[in-house]
Amino acid sequence: QSALTQPASVSGSPGQSITISCTGTSNDVGYYEYVSWYQQHPGKAPKLLIYDVNNRPSGVSHRFSGSKSGNTASLTISGLQAEDEADFYCSSYTTRSAWVFGGGTKLTVL
Amino acid sequence: QVQLQESGPGRVKPSQTLSLTCTVSGASIRNRDYYWSWIRQPPGKGLEWIGYIYDTGNTYYNPSLKSRVNLSMDTSKNQFSLNLNSVTAADSAVYYCARVKLVEVPSWFDTWGQGTLVTVSS
């Protein structure tokens, strides 16, 4: 199974908005509404940020939002803050009863 | 509050078996609303799903690792375990255990352990 495709890096200035894309196939992102996003700070475990494409767990800022169109999911972070700087991973369940992750995107807050 | 904690050797010799245990507190691994999974991350690289286990021991594995992986559960200790045999340097990674929320299918990883670094080296 191939990893989902994410840009290696994105950047933005404080207060700006950025979007990270996550492209899969009709067997994963395009099939299920079970795309999730994770934020990972250096040396830390990943943390659930978005589930079911566009739902936030309790405690996650409203500045984080998700969407999906066809085989591509997106994570948008609005009002960038310095503490948002981290690695972000998308993930999807697949028709082969397996999970696949994106390669990860490093967010730099300028 | 649900917590997961990985434990096991930090170093394994090539060709041997990597064995890790995840101890769950604050929730029962017998809860049928959740599956239990292992994920790894080589240094400086991305996440790779290894497999998950649920119910009384049903499993699904990453096809790329399936021939070398075995997951098991010990409900009396509220633990689940990973065995990865015939390891090479490419298996060096931080290994995470995680809880998977089950909706119609296993849907998202809602709780993660802190991770444990395993190095394959003689």
Side-chain angles (χ1 to χ4, degrees), chain A residues 2-52:
Chain A
S2 300
L4 306 176
T5 300
Q6 298 181 231
S9 63
V10 297
S11 62
S13 300
Q16 288 185 332
S17 294
I18 62 96
T19 296
I20 300 171
S21 61
C22 169
T23 301
T25 71
S26 56
N27 290 318
D28 39 64
V29 174
Y31 191 89
Y32 289 110
E33 298 298 306
Y34 296 122
V35 176
S36 49
W37 290 88
Y38 303 86
Q39 180 185 42
Q40 185 180 35
H41 286 106
K44 300 294 187 181
K47 169 192 167 186
L48 177 65
L49 208 57
I50 296 286
Y51 66 94
D52 287 0

Side-chain angles (χ1 to χ4, degrees), chain B residues 34-74:
Chain B
Y34 296 96
Y35 289 7
W36 306 92
S37 188
W38 288 94
I39 296 145
R40 69 180 183 178
Q41 184 173 36
K45 296 187 178 181
L47 302 170
E48 180 181 30
W49 175 71
I50 298 171
Y52 59 78
I53 187 168
Y54 63 100
D55 282 349
T56 55
N58 297 305
T59 55
Y60 278 97
Y61 300 129
N62 185 324
S64 67
L65 297 170
K66 186 175 182 178
S67 64
R68 299 193 293 128
V69 174
N70 183 64
L71 303 190
S72 59
M73 303 172 77
D74 186 337

